[in-house]
């Protein structure tokens, strides 16, 4: 299933075609493709090159996979259990000298974006989730919450058949994609002052 963006201006095909499906094929992801997507994540920019991102990877049937499923809210569990791989994204709150890093979440987000676009290049899709219980993953994986914070879980895999999803989720999967207009998020001088370069 494809859901290309209805973009107003030309963008890269990988960005145009990227979306977050919930129907995943159970087909395992080849190790060489996993290597490539995490290699891409490694080269994301970060403040002072701190690279604060950490990933815990769980392949289907592994202990890590089951713990990630168990930490999700029910809605996400209902579809994510079909994906071949789940990944917990963790941000390191301190730098190498144990000083507070105010941009760790911003930087970790960039790493995930790099990973996502490389995944698309490999024919894979990523669906990121905030719907999980942080206290559970902290307990399950013995995360030092003084230094690290769980940020997201994502499912990754090949697209699957809609029929594997509950009816209510199938409707969400088929819904049209939309985005805010430029006037709602691109400004000059202060928030709310529209810029005119989109009209030229």
């Amino acid at each position: 299933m494809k859901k290309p963006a209805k973009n107003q201006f030309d963008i890269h095909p990988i960005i145009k075609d990227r979306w977050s499906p919930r129907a995943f094929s159970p087909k395992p992801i080849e190790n060489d493709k996993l290597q490539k997507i995490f290699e891409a994540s490694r080269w994301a920019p970060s403040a002072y090159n701190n690279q604060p991102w950490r990933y815990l990877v769980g392949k289907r049937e592994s202990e890590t996979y089951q713990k990630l499923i168990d930490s999700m809210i029910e809605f996400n569990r209902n579809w994510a259990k079909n994906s071949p791989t789940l990944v917990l994204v963790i941000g390191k709150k301190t730098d190498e000298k144990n000083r507070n890093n105010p941009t760790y979440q911003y930087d970790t987000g960039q790493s995930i974006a790099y990973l996502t676009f490389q995944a698309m290049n490999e024919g894979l899709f990523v669906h990121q989730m905030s719907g999980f219980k942080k206290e559970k993953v902290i307990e399950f994986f013995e995360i030092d919450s003084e230094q690290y914070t769980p940020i997201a879980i994502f499912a990754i895999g090949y697209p699957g058949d809609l029929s594997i999803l509950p009816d209510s989720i199938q409707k969400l999967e088929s819904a049209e994609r939309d985005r805010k207009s430029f006037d709602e998020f691109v400004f000059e001088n202060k928030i709310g002052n529209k810029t005119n370069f989109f009209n030229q």
Side-chain angles (χ1 to χ4, degrees):
M1 181 176 176
K2 292 188 176 182
K3 293 176 68 169
K6 295 182 177 179
N7 46 296
Q8 294 177 234
F9 304 99
D10 287 340
I11 55 177
H12 196 285
I14 284 178
I15 299 173
K16 182 179 179 70
D17 291 338
R18 187 221 64 80
W19 69 290
S20 303
R22 294 182 179 89
F24 284 96
S25 165
K27 176 184 175 182
I29 302 171
E30 299 86 347
N31 281 339
D32 67 313
K33 291 190 176 184
L34 288 172
Q35 290 166 358
K36 289 176 185 178
I37 66 168
F38 285 106
E39 177 72 7
S41 76
R42 195 162 71 103
W43 291 99
S46 60
Y48 300 100
N49 198 27
N50 277 322
Q51 304 168 50
W53 46 84
R54 305 290 186 270
Y55 297 101
L56 287 178
V57 182
K59 293 185 178 183
R60 186 186 288 275
E61 309 299 336
S62 71
E63 183 180 358
T64 297
Y65 186 99
Q66 190 56 53
K67 285 178 177 178
L68 292 176
I69 288 290
D70 291 343
S71 74
M72 291 179 190
I73 62 171
E74 184 178 0
F75 175 83
N76 286 332
R77 190 183 308 125
N78 283 339
W79 62 264
K81 63 186 179 184
N82 298 312
S83 63
T85 303
L86 295 170
V87 180
L88 174 64
V89 183
I90 301 167
K92 188 172 187 292
K93 297 187 279 188
T94 55
D95 65 16
E96 299 308 313
K97 295 183 178 179
N98 208 34
R99 297 172 301 196
N100 180 52
N101 179 1
T103 64
Y104 78 95
Q105 293 191 70
Y106 178 89
D107 296 339
T108 300
Q110 294 200 84
S111 176
I112 300 168
Y114 272 48
L115 179 153
T116 299
F117 295 134
Q118 184 66 39
M120 287 292 301
N121 192 61
E122 304 302 325
L124 299 163
F125 286 80
V126 172
H127 189 118
Q128 300 175 49
M129 295 165 268
S130 61
F132 68 99
K133 297 176 181 177
K134 288 189 177 183
E135 65 275 10
K136 279 197 172 184
V137 297
I138 288 171
E139 177 188 350
F140 287 159
F141 301 110
E142 300 178 8
I143 295 170
D144 177 359
S145 57
E146 292 295 316
Q147 291 202 62
Y148 300 96
T149 188
I151 294 175
I153 295 174
F154 66 80
I156 181 168
Y158 293 98
D161 195 304
L162 278 180
S163 64
I164 67 174
L165 298 174
D167 290 344
S168 59
I169 299 181
Q170 285 187 39
K171 291 177 183 177
L172 286 173
E173 200 79 346
S174 304
E176 188 173 296
R177 298 172 62 200
D178 65 347
R179 288 295 187 273
K180 293 180 178 179
S181 68
F182 295 115
D183 287 348
E184 294 179 84
F185 70 96
V186 183
F187 308 109
E188 289 184 20
N189 297 321
K190 67 177 183 178
I191 293 176
N193 280 5
K194 299 177 183 178
T195 183
N196 62 10
F197 68 78
F198 290 106
N199 301 320
Q200 295 175 354

